[in-house]
Each structure stands twice: as structure tokens, then as C-alpha cells.
Amino acid sequence: QVQLVESGGGLVQPGGSLRLSCVASGSIFSIYAMGWYRQAPGKQRDMVAIIINGATTDYADSVKGRFTISRDNAKNTVYLQMNNLKPDDTAVYYCYAMIRPNPNTARNNYWGQGTQVTVSS
């Protein structure tokens, strides 16, 4: 089984920074995409940033210029560097990955358990 484990969430002041990490472990043949989604109370889960094949990236308009996604392919780890955080960034952040567990299996979508990010003045 594949497991995604996030870390790095917490409480930060507006204008501060956090770096989230997500490590994929278990049966992994290849990873095609990893990314971050977030969900605030009363809102839908939205894509924040995604990196495809370890190169191509996409960001939500609300975080462009402030957040940076990166991936360490050797460690099966994706990072989200969050700078100049705003109260509206407060949400549960979920790690996402599209993974082929074995050469003879289909790709599957996997989700982490979520990590809370709170930006408060």
C-alpha cells in the first residue's frame, strides 16, 4: 500500500513562512504527479500547486508569487514553500500523488491525511 504523510503545518503570523513536506512510501514503481490541495471550513477543496513528471508546475492564482512547489524524486518527497502567508491561506492542506505501484498495475490517486495551516494575527 502507498502512504502519503504530510508535515510542516502549524500556526504562523501573517507575512510569515512555512514549508510543508509530503513523503510517499510503500509500493511505488513511479510517481507521475504530486501536489497540494487545501480546504478551508465551508469551502471546497481546491488545487494549490502541482508538479507533473518532476518538472511542469501549476499554481492557483491566489498563491502565485508566494508559494513554490518542488519535488525530490530520489526521496519521493514533495515540498510546498509558503511565503508571505495571509489569513485566507488558513486551511487543511492535503498532499496528492498519482502513483503506479507496480509495473503491471494502473496508476492510482492517493491522498494524505492533511495538515493544518493557521495564519493568525
Side-chain angles (χ1 to χ4, degrees), residues 4 6 92-95 111-116:
L4 304 180
E6 304 104 326
V92 177
Y93 285 70
Y94 296 91
C95 181
W111 294 91
Q113 81 286 354
T115 184
Q116 178 70 47

Side-chain angles (χ1 to χ4, degrees), residues 92-107:
V92 177
Y93 285 70
Y94 296 91
C95 181
Y96 162 82
M98 179 180 290
I99 294 173
R100 188 186 300 274
N102 298 286
N104 59 346
T105 59
R107 302 174 190 176

